[in-house]
């Protein structure tokens, strides 16, 4: 308020001097050649579509023309004010309310460097600055009939205050939440500002009444929709129950028919048996009655009757029917389908919707950042329908909002992208129909990117391990990863166990032993963790994958030796994504297979036929890129392969070839991507780790190596992928083959066949030094 009052007081006595065109120190004095023009003059330049299309000096303020042309501006700057210090040769772009001077770009920089003036609030003269910010002695020269714009360009509300922390940015009452905690001063008269805020409050109250009415109507609609859907559910289920009841009656009728048929047959057989049994008894009685007789005639007659009786067909020796009555079981998939009969779509629910993972809490300045959001409904089910009313915002430390884009993915996923431009704590908020989701607002720490030049120059921080079988000792280790708790997990291959260390290399725990039972290993290789912090291990020589909880307790295993999908031939590397899918490098089958978190096969990647297998020859290391693509180290082809995340696109892009120059490889193995999007590759037989930019696959640094350079080398760009025989591949530029072996750097211990690498949340890089049986930390 004091600042604005001083502006108004200081301009009241200047107008007359300005109109008399005395050459004084005020930079708002207008050259006569400008005031004498018949056309209008605007300090905004030629753009009159901004705050005020009528901000002009009329020709009524004209004076005698300047015949010498001394004050006549050049044609290109005839509509722009001049800098107070530099004169008409420099256009003014800013105004200092403290000094009451117009400044050009050069003078603004000088103004902010000088100790006396560096705390002044300099206002940019752009089309977004309203007239109320400018000094009144300039405004007094304006045509009072010209329309004055005092509306916020973002919310179309009346401007009522200035934010001193944001270079005197004019604000309306709707802008206040974005500048919470900032120092604000009223714009113009204090009473007028209060009246404007009260008017906005009344408008807001009206909006609240409207929203309350809308909420009431929506509640009625929800009740109506619920009743309609409940009736539909009962109708659908009744139809299926009626069909099941009808089928039940049909099956029971068949059962009864079968019973009657079998019983009638058995009764007939029983009656025949009874008749035959009676005749046998009669024969016995007849023989008993004549056996004492001497009359041969009676005896002969009795014999004839017995022969006749025995000549009749005899009854079978067993029942002619069986008790085989069995129900044919319905399709096994029918019951799950019945249990999942129908479904419900109710849109995303803010309470159950959440952000996947924890990586969103850290971001890199001036690097595109993505956040993955899982949409769920009120029943905590994944939202199936698209077009959800989801919005997001990211607020920088200075209160300025960043540009945010939202894109839909499959399985109820949405991706939010933004570009942070300054260090500090940013505020991320994701909303569903205006309500913040679970965990929001969230704080995102933005920092500058990693300087791999310093890592290359300084060498390792420390190392731990050493050959042996004791706790903390290693024997031919291969895989390494960092879990959610910041612990370092190492696949101690020849000791057939997993060891767990803290971030400083202190031994914490171990699990596993040699064997083939659950929880035992035979030369474990790759290791990773998922979003549940479950530990996934490639049990290489047992040809299977095992999953453990974070304490090493066995959960499940899947796979065995073989070539069909779901089986393995020496699985080597493993990786997991945000959906907890598990990717496995099936080395001897020359392919990569992808499974669900429970080990159910999803799909395979690569060419595993006998003819094309060398398009992916013994893949080793794996990692998922932020966009869902899979990055693979193609071990025997000495290159990197990038496989599309789409099932319908089998394209494979390849980078690099065999060599020892930067960007070339010799038996690459482990690969990881850091929080900044850099790709770290263990170039094992070149005894180094190479770092590539995730944007264009440029080599931005190397460290380790039996041969290393003194200092940081200029980056070498990998060749652009070319399409060869349906598969993308690349060849190095000819200059790379002429690279001379660099000198050994004495301040860095050499790596001996590094096999895997991981990056901790603190930014430390852990490298498995296979040949030295230790872990080196950079």
């Amino acid at each position: 308020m004091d600042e604005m009052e001083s502006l108004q007081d200081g301009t009241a006595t200047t107008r007359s001097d300005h109109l008399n065109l005395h050459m004084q120190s005020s930079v708002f004095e207008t050259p006569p050649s400008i005031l004498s023009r018949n056309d209008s003059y605007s300090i905004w330049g030629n753009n009159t579509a901004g705050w005020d299309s009528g901000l002009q000096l009329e020709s009524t303020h004209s004076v005698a023309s300047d015949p010498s042309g001394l004050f006549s501006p050049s044609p290109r700057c005839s509509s722009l004010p001049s800098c107070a210090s530099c004169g008409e040769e420099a256009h003014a772009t800013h105004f200092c309310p403290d000094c009451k001077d117009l400044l050009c770009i050069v003078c603004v920089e000088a103004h902010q460097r000088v100790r006396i003036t560096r705390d002044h609030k300099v206002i940019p003269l752009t089309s977004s600055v309203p007239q109320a910010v400018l000094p009144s002695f300039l405004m007094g020269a304006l045509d009072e009939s010209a329309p004055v714009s005092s509306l916020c360009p973002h919310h179309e509300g009346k401007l009522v205050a200035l934010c001193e922390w944001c270079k005197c940015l004019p604000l309306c009452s709707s802008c206040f939440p974005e500048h919470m905690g900032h120092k604000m001063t009223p714009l113009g008269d204090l009473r007028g500002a209060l009246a404007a805020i009260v008017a906005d409050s009344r408008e807001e109250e009206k909006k609240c009444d409207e929203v309350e009415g809308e909420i009431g109507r929506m509640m009625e609609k929800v009740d109506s929709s619920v009743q309609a859907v409940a009736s539909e559910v009962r109708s659908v289920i009744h139809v299926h129950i009626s069909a099941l009841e009808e089928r039940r009656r049909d099956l029971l009728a068949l059962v009864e028919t079968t019973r009657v048929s079998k019983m009638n047959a058995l009764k007939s057989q029983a009656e025949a048996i009874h008749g035959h049994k009676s005749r046998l008894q009669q024969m016995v009685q007849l023989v008993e009655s004549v056996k004492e007789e001497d009359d041969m005639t009676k005896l002969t007659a009795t014999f004839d009757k017995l022969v006749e009786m025995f000549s009749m067909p005899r009854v079978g020796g067993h029942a002619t029917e069986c008790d085989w009555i069995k129900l044919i079981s319905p399709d096994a998939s029918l019951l799950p389908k019945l249990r999942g009969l129908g479904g419900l779509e109710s849109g995303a629910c803010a309470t159950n919707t959440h952000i996947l993972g924890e990586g969103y809490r850290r971001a890199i300045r001036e690097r595109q950042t993505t956040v993955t959001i899982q949409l769920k409904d009120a029943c905590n089910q994944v939202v199936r329908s698209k077009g959800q009313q989801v919005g997001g915002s990211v607020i920088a430390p200075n209160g300025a909002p960043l540009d945010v884009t939202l894109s839909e993915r499959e399985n109820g996923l949405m991706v939010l992208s933004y570009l942070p431009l300054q260090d500090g704590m940013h505020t991320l908020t994701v909303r569903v129909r205006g309500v913040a989701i679970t965990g929001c607002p969230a704080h995102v720490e933005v920092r500058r990117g990693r300087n791999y030049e310093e890592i290359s120059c300084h060498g390792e921080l420390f190392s731990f391990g050493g050959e042996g079988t004791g706790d903390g000792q290693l024997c031919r280790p291969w895989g390494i990863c960092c879990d959610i708790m910041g612990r370092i997990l190492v696949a101690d291959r020849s000791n057939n166990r997993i060891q767990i260390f803290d971030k400083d290399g202190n031994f914490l725990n171990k699990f596993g032993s040699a064997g083939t039972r659950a929880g035992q290993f035979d030369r474990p290789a790759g290791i990773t963790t998922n979003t549940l912090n479950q530990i996934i291990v490639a049990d290489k020589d047992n040809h299977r994958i095992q999953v453990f909880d974070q304490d090493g307790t066995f959960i499940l295993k899947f796979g065995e030796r073989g070539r069909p999908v779901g089986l393995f031939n020496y699985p080597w590397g493993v990786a997991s994504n945000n959906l907890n899918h598990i990717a496995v490098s099936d080395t001897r089958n020359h392919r990569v297979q992808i499974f669900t978190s429970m080990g159910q096969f999803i799909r395979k990647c690569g060419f595993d036929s006998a003819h094309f297998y060398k398009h992916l020859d013994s893949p080793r290391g794996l990692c998922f890129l932020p966009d869902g693509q899979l990055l693979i180290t193609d071990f025997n082809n000495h290159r990197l392969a990038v496989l599309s995340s789409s099932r319908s696109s089998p394209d494979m892009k390849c980078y690099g070839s065999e060599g020892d120059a930067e960007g070339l490889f010799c038996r690459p193995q482990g690969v990881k991507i850091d929080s900044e999007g850099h790709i770290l590759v263990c170039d094992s037989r070149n005894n180094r780790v190479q770092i590539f930019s995730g944007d264009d696959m440029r080599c931005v640094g190397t460290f380790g190596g039996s041969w290393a350079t003194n200092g940081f080398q200029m980056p070498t760009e990998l060749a652009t992928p070319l399409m060869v025989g349906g598969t993308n591949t690349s060849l190095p530029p000819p200059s790379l083959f002429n690279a001379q072996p660099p000198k050994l750097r004495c301040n860095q211990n050499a790596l001996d066949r590094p096999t895997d690498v991981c990056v901790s949340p603190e930014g430390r890089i852990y490298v498995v030094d296979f040949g030295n049986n230790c872990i080196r930390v950079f």
Side-chain angles (χ1 to χ4, degrees):
M1 184 62 187
D2 295 338
E3 183 177 293
M4 292 306 299
E5 289 176 351
S6 66
L7 283 174
Q8 295 170 358
D9 295 340
T11 58
T13 59
T14 313
R15 181 181 177 187
S16 61
D17 295 338
H18 174 67
L19 294 177
N20 292 330
L21 297 175
H22 293 306
M23 298 299 293
Q24 297 178 355
S25 61
S26 174
V27 299
F28 287 96
E29 294 175 345
T30 309
S33 58
I34 297 180
L35 291 178
S36 62
R37 292 172 57 93
N38 292 327
D39 55 348
S40 300
Y41 167 75
S42 171
I43 68 168
W44 308 116
N46 296 323
N47 181 10
T48 60
W51 285 90
D52 180 22
S53 59
L55 186 55
Q56 298 170 341
L57 289 176
E58 298 289 345
S59 58
T60 55
H61 301 292
S62 63
V63 295
S65 61
D66 176 27
S68 66
L70 179 62
F71 297 100
S72 299
S74 60
R76 65 181 178 86
C77 61
S78 61
S79 61
L80 296 174
S82 302
C83 175
S85 301
C86 303
E88 296 180 4
E89 296 300 324
H91 302 159
T93 59
H94 291 71
F95 170 66
C96 178
D98 299 296
C99 301
K100 301 180 179 62
D101 282 343
L102 284 170
L103 307 173
C104 66
I105 290 293
V106 177
C107 293
V108 168
E109 296 178 356
H111 212 66
Q112 294 175 342
R113 284 198 303 266
V114 177
R115 182 171 56 86
I116 299 176
T117 60
R118 64 186 177 190
D119 293 329
H120 291 186
K121 301 295 187 298
V122 180
I123 304 172
L125 295 179
T126 64
S127 60
S128 62
V129 181
Q131 294 180 4
V133 180
L134 296 176
S136 59
F137 63 79
L138 180 59
M139 295 298 102
L142 301 178
D143 181 8
E144 304 203 1
S145 64
V148 178
S149 175
S150 59
L151 298 180
C152 174
H154 304 293
H155 306 101
E156 297 185 357
K158 186 176 180 180
L159 297 170
V160 296
L162 294 174
C163 180
E164 295 189 6
W165 288 15
C166 300
K167 297 183 179 181
C168 294
L169 182 68
L171 309 174
C172 69
S173 59
S174 299
C175 299
F176 289 171
E178 300 174 1
H179 298 262
M180 182 179 295
H182 294 192
K183 184 178 180 181
M184 300 182 190
T185 57
L187 181 59
D189 180 61
L190 178 58
R191 289 185 177 85
L194 292 174
I197 295 176
V198 169
D200 290 343
S201 299
R202 289 173 179 169
E203 291 295 327
E204 189 69 21
E205 185 178 359
K206 292 180 181 179
K207 292 181 180 178
C208 290
D209 292 338
E210 294 176 359
V211 173
E212 283 183 347
E214 183 182 353
I215 290 174
R217 292 189 295 272
M218 186 58 67
M219 292 175 67
E220 294 176 357
K221 290 181 179 180
V222 168
D223 286 337
S224 177
S225 297
V226 166
Q227 293 175 7
V229 172
S231 176
E232 189 176 357
V233 167
R234 286 190 289 268
S235 176
V236 169
I237 297 300
H238 177 72
V239 168
H240 287 79
I241 289 176
S242 298
L244 289 173
E245 285 291 339
E246 183 178 354
R247 182 58 178 164
R248 181 181 68 85
R249 290 192 296 269
D250 292 343
L251 290 175
L252 291 178
L254 292 176
V255 170
E256 181 61 20
T257 301
T258 303
R259 186 191 71 81
V260 170
S261 175
K262 287 182 175 289
M263 293 299 291
N264 289 337
L266 291 173
K267 285 181 180 179
S268 297
Q269 185 181 11
E271 291 175 358
I273 291 292
H274 183 72
H276 185 64
K277 185 177 176 182
S278 298
R279 288 192 294 273
L280 290 176
Q281 291 175 354
Q282 292 176 5
M283 289 172 55
V284 171
Q285 293 175 0
L286 181 60
V287 171
E288 289 290 337
S289 63
V290 299
K291 68 179 180 179
E292 300 293 336
E293 293 287 341
D294 294 332
D295 187 354
M296 296 301 296
T297 303
K298 289 183 177 181
L299 291 176
T300 301
T302 301
F303 177 79
D304 291 339
K305 288 182 178 180
L306 290 177
V307 171
E308 180 183 359
M309 190 175 296
F310 269 94
S311 298
M312 296 177 64
R314 298 188 181 185
V315 179
H318 54 79
T320 57
E321 282 289 349
C322 65
D323 62 347
W324 188 339
I325 305 175
K326 183 179 179 181
L327 174 66
I328 300 175
S329 298
D331 187 355
S333 63
L334 179 60
L335 188 58
K337 289 180 180 178
L338 285 175
R339 288 173 176 166
L341 180 65
L344 193 66
E345 292 182 355
S346 60
C349 173
T351 304
N352 294 330
T353 298
H354 61 276
I355 300 175
L356 292 178
E358 295 292 326
Y360 71 92
R361 297 187 182 277
R362 294 177 295 275
I364 303 302
R365 184 183 66 193
E366 299 177 354
R367 181 178 292 274
Q368 194 72 18
T369 302
T370 59
V371 178
T372 304
I373 304 153
Q374 178 67 74
L375 302 179
K376 292 190 175 182
D377 59 18
C379 301
N380 208 28
Q381 301 296 318
V382 173
V383 172
R384 299 178 182 178
S385 60
K386 295 186 177 181
Q388 303 298 318
Q389 297 177 1
V390 180
S393 65
V394 178
I395 306 299
N398 63 356
L402 303 183
D403 292 334
V404 169
T405 59
L406 282 165
S407 59
E408 295 183 353
R409 300 284 177 87
E410 298 177 352
N411 302 320
L413 295 178
M414 294 200 74
V415 175
L416 181 147
S417 303
Y418 65 97
L419 181 66
L421 299 176
Q422 56 181 291
D423 293 347
M425 200 64 70
H426 290 55
T427 303
L428 167 67
T429 305
V430 180
R431 296 180 178 88
V432 175
R433 289 184 292 276
V435 180
I437 68 173
T438 300
C440 287
H443 295 297
V444 180
E445 182 183 2
V446 177
R447 58 179 176 84
R448 71 181 183 90
R450 187 193 309 277
N451 190 338
Y452 280 102
E453 179 179 356
E454 294 179 358
I455 296 175
S456 179
C457 293
H458 296 161
E460 70 178 54
L461 300 176
F462 62 92
S463 62
F464 60 92
E467 186 174 5
T469 58
D471 293 346
Q473 292 182 319
L474 305 169
C475 185
R476 302 175 70 82
W478 198 93
I480 191 170
C481 71
C482 181
D483 69 359
I484 295 176
M485 302 165 61
R487 304 179 304 174
I488 306 302
L489 288 74
V490 181
D492 192 3
R493 193 168 68 171
S494 291
N495 283 329
N496 295 301
R497 64 186 180 184
I498 305 299
Q499 294 202 67
I500 304 175
F501 302 85
D502 66 13
K503 64 179 182 179
D504 297 320
N506 299 311
F507 173 80
L508 297 177
N509 195 11
K510 64 181 179 181
F511 63 90
S513 60
T516 59
R517 293 181 298 180
Q520 294 182 324
F521 302 108
D522 189 359
R523 296 167 63 84
I527 185 170
T528 191
T529 58
N530 59 19
T531 61
L532 304 176
N533 212 32
Q534 295 173 338
I535 303 170
I536 305 165
V537 182
D539 191 2
K540 182 171 67 73
D541 287 13
N542 278 328
H543 309 283
R544 65 186 180 184
I545 303 298
Q546 296 198 70
V547 182
F548 304 83
D549 68 12
Q550 63 183 16
D551 298 322
T553 303
F554 174 80
I555 297 178
L556 65 93
K557 62 180 179 178
F558 59 92
E560 59 184 47
R561 190 167 191 173
R563 189 170 183 80
V565 295
L567 305 185
F568 305 108
N569 193 1
Y570 293 98
W572 211 291
V574 288
S576 180
N577 60 10
N578 284 336
L579 300 176
N580 290 333
H581 292 165
I582 302 172
V584 183
S585 57
D586 192 3
T587 56
R588 300 283 178 88
N589 284 329
H590 308 289
R591 66 188 179 189
V592 172
Q593 298 191 72
I594 301 177
F595 303 84
T596 67
S597 59
M598 299 304 294
Q600 297 172 330
F601 174 79
I602 298 177
R603 68 187 184 105
K604 65 177 181 178
C605 308
F607 302 89
D608 58 352
S609 66
H611 182 67
F612 289 110
Y613 82 93
K614 284 202 172 181
H615 282 82
L616 198 60
D617 191 358
S618 298
R620 293 291 179 89
L622 298 170
C623 77
F624 282 97
L625 300 179
D627 59 1
Q629 295 189 98
L630 190 62
L631 183 62
I632 306 167
T633 56
D634 196 356
F635 183 74
N636 284 336
N637 284 327
H638 312 284
R639 63 188 181 184
L640 300 180
V642 181
L643 296 177
S644 171
S645 60
S646 173
R647 295 188 182 186
S648 60
S649 175
D651 291 343
M652 181 174 70
K653 296 179 181 179
C654 298
Y655 299 89
S657 61
E658 186 172 7
D660 58 6
E662 286 188 351
L664 304 185
F665 306 99
C666 185
R667 309 292 187 192
Q669 300 216 50
V671 60
K672 291 292 188 301
I673 185 168
D674 68 6
S675 59
E676 305 174 21
H678 292 115
I679 297 170
L680 289 77
V681 183
C682 289
D683 191 4
S684 65
R685 292 303 174 91
N686 282 326
N687 301 306
R688 65 185 178 185
V689 175
Q690 295 197 68
I691 303 96
F692 298 90
S693 168
D695 297 329
D696 52 12
M697 295 302 290
R698 277 184 311 111
C699 180
V700 298
T702 63
F703 58 87
S706 57
W707 291 96
T709 58
N710 290 322
F712 182 70
Q713 289 186 331
M714 291 298 293
T716 301
E717 184 172 355
L718 286 171
T720 303
L722 301 175
M723 184 69 72
V724 178
T727 302
N728 293 321
T729 185
S730 64
L731 296 176
S735 59
L736 297 183
F737 290 105
N738 300 324
Q740 298 298 322
K743 298 178 181 179
L744 181 65
R745 186 165 58 227
C746 60
N747 66 337
Q748 182 175 354
N749 293 330
L751 294 173
D752 184 3
R753 288 163 291 165
T755 56
D756 203 7
V757 60
C758 74
V759 183
S760 71
E762 293 83 7
R764 287 180 174 177
I765 301 172
Y766 295 79
V767 182
V768 177
D769 192 344
F770 178 84
N772 290 315
N773 296 290
C774 68
I775 309 298
R776 299 194 185 275
V777 186
F778 297 85

